Short mmCIF file of all heavy atoms in Angstrom, two decimals:
data_model
loop_
_atom_site.label_atom_id
_atom_site.label_comp_id
_atom_site.label_asym_id
_atom_site.label_seq_id
_atom_site.Cartn_x
_atom_site.Cartn_y
_atom_site.Cartn_z
N GLU A 122 -14.28 46.28 -6.58
CA GLU A 122 -15.03 45.67 -7.68
C GLU A 122 -15.67 44.33 -7.31
O GLU A 122 -16.47 43.79 -8.08
CB GLU A 122 -14.10 45.44 -8.89
CG GLU A 122 -13.55 46.70 -9.51
CD GLU A 122 -12.32 47.23 -8.77
OE1 GLU A 122 -11.88 46.60 -7.78
OE2 GLU A 122 -11.79 48.27 -9.19
N VAL A 123 -15.29 43.76 -6.15
CA VAL A 123 -15.77 42.42 -5.78
C VAL A 123 -16.51 42.46 -4.46
O VAL A 123 -15.91 42.44 -3.38
CB VAL A 123 -14.59 41.42 -5.69
CG1 VAL A 123 -15.11 40.01 -5.40
CG2 VAL A 123 -13.77 41.43 -6.97
N PRO A 124 -17.84 42.54 -4.49
CA PRO A 124 -18.62 42.52 -3.25
C PRO A 124 -18.34 41.24 -2.45
O PRO A 124 -18.23 40.16 -3.03
CB PRO A 124 -20.06 42.57 -3.74
CG PRO A 124 -19.99 43.14 -5.12
CD PRO A 124 -18.69 42.68 -5.69
N GLY A 125 -18.23 41.37 -1.16
CA GLY A 125 -18.02 40.21 -0.31
C GLY A 125 -16.57 39.79 -0.13
O GLY A 125 -16.27 38.93 0.70
N PHE A 126 -15.65 40.39 -0.91
CA PHE A 126 -14.24 40.00 -0.83
C PHE A 126 -13.71 40.22 0.58
O PHE A 126 -13.05 39.33 1.15
CB PHE A 126 -13.42 40.80 -1.84
CG PHE A 126 -12.00 40.31 -2.02
CD1 PHE A 126 -11.64 39.58 -3.14
CD2 PHE A 126 -11.01 40.59 -1.08
CE1 PHE A 126 -10.33 39.14 -3.33
CE2 PHE A 126 -9.70 40.16 -1.24
CZ PHE A 126 -9.37 39.42 -2.37
N ARG A 127 -13.97 41.38 1.16
CA ARG A 127 -13.47 41.67 2.50
C ARG A 127 -14.13 40.78 3.55
O ARG A 127 -13.45 40.20 4.42
CB ARG A 127 -13.69 43.15 2.85
CG ARG A 127 -13.21 43.53 4.25
CD ARG A 127 -13.26 45.01 4.48
NE ARG A 127 -12.62 45.37 5.74
CZ ARG A 127 -12.27 46.62 6.07
NH1 ARG A 127 -12.50 47.61 5.23
NH2 ARG A 127 -11.70 46.86 7.24
N GLU A 128 -15.44 40.66 3.47
CA GLU A 128 -16.18 39.86 4.46
C GLU A 128 -15.69 38.42 4.47
O GLU A 128 -15.35 37.85 5.53
CB GLU A 128 -17.67 39.92 4.14
CG GLU A 128 -18.52 38.98 4.98
CD GLU A 128 -19.93 38.82 4.43
OE1 GLU A 128 -20.29 39.53 3.46
OE2 GLU A 128 -20.67 37.96 4.96
N TYR A 129 -15.67 37.80 3.29
CA TYR A 129 -15.27 36.39 3.23
C TYR A 129 -13.76 36.22 3.43
O TYR A 129 -13.31 35.28 4.08
CB TYR A 129 -15.69 35.79 1.89
CG TYR A 129 -17.17 35.44 1.83
CD1 TYR A 129 -18.04 36.20 1.06
CD2 TYR A 129 -17.69 34.37 2.56
CE1 TYR A 129 -19.39 35.89 1.00
CE2 TYR A 129 -19.03 34.06 2.50
CZ TYR A 129 -19.88 34.81 1.72
OH TYR A 129 -21.21 34.50 1.68
N GLY A 130 -12.98 37.14 2.84
CA GLY A 130 -11.53 37.02 2.95
C GLY A 130 -11.05 37.14 4.39
O GLY A 130 -10.28 36.29 4.86
N TYR A 131 -11.52 38.15 5.10
CA TYR A 131 -11.04 38.29 6.48
C TYR A 131 -11.72 37.30 7.42
O TYR A 131 -11.12 36.88 8.42
CB TYR A 131 -11.20 39.72 6.99
CG TYR A 131 -10.22 40.00 8.11
CD1 TYR A 131 -8.85 40.07 7.85
CD2 TYR A 131 -10.64 40.12 9.43
CE1 TYR A 131 -7.93 40.27 8.86
CE2 TYR A 131 -9.73 40.33 10.45
CZ TYR A 131 -8.37 40.40 10.16
OH TYR A 131 -7.45 40.58 11.16
N GLY A 132 -12.92 36.89 7.08
CA GLY A 132 -13.55 35.84 7.88
C GLY A 132 -12.76 34.55 7.82
O GLY A 132 -12.56 33.87 8.84
N LEU A 133 -12.29 34.18 6.62
CA LEU A 133 -11.47 32.98 6.48
C LEU A 133 -10.12 33.17 7.16
O LEU A 133 -9.60 32.23 7.78
CB LEU A 133 -11.29 32.65 5.00
CG LEU A 133 -10.58 31.32 4.68
CD1 LEU A 133 -11.30 30.13 5.33
CD2 LEU A 133 -10.48 31.12 3.17
N TYR A 134 -9.56 34.36 7.07
CA TYR A 134 -8.30 34.66 7.76
C TYR A 134 -8.44 34.35 9.25
O TYR A 134 -7.61 33.65 9.84
CB TYR A 134 -7.96 36.14 7.56
CG TYR A 134 -6.64 36.59 8.18
CD1 TYR A 134 -5.54 36.85 7.38
CD2 TYR A 134 -6.50 36.76 9.57
CE1 TYR A 134 -4.34 37.27 7.93
CE2 TYR A 134 -5.32 37.16 10.13
CZ TYR A 134 -4.22 37.42 9.31
OH TYR A 134 -3.04 37.81 9.87
N GLU A 135 -9.48 34.87 9.87
CA GLU A 135 -9.64 34.69 11.32
C GLU A 135 -9.90 33.23 11.68
O GLU A 135 -9.37 32.73 12.69
CB GLU A 135 -10.78 35.58 11.82
CG GLU A 135 -10.46 37.07 11.73
CD GLU A 135 -11.58 37.94 12.29
OE1 GLU A 135 -12.74 37.76 11.87
OE2 GLU A 135 -11.29 38.80 13.13
N ALA A 136 -10.66 32.52 10.85
CA ALA A 136 -10.95 31.11 11.14
C ALA A 136 -9.68 30.27 11.07
O ALA A 136 -9.44 29.41 11.93
CB ALA A 136 -11.98 30.58 10.14
N LEU A 137 -8.83 30.53 10.07
CA LEU A 137 -7.59 29.77 9.94
C LEU A 137 -6.58 30.17 11.01
O LEU A 137 -5.78 29.34 11.47
CB LEU A 137 -7.01 29.95 8.54
CG LEU A 137 -7.83 29.30 7.43
CD1 LEU A 137 -7.32 29.73 6.06
CD2 LEU A 137 -7.82 27.78 7.55
N ASP A 138 -6.60 31.42 11.41
CA ASP A 138 -5.72 31.87 12.50
C ASP A 138 -6.05 31.11 13.78
O ASP A 138 -5.15 30.65 14.52
CB ASP A 138 -5.91 33.38 12.69
CG ASP A 138 -4.81 34.00 13.53
OD1 ASP A 138 -3.65 33.55 13.45
OD2 ASP A 138 -5.10 34.97 14.26
N GLN A 139 -7.33 30.96 14.05
CA GLN A 139 -7.76 30.23 15.26
C GLN A 139 -7.41 28.75 15.16
O GLN A 139 -6.93 28.14 16.13
CB GLN A 139 -9.26 30.42 15.48
CG GLN A 139 -9.64 31.85 15.81
CD GLN A 139 -11.13 32.12 15.70
OE1 GLN A 139 -11.94 31.19 15.65
NE2 GLN A 139 -11.51 33.39 15.65
#
Side-chain angles (χ1 to χ4, degrees):
E122 296 83 1
V123 184
F126 190 104
R127 179 172 188 165
E128 172 193 354
Y129 282 108
Y131 204 68
L133 186 57
Y134 182 107
E135 292 182 309
L137 291 171
D138 195 34
Q139 294 166 16

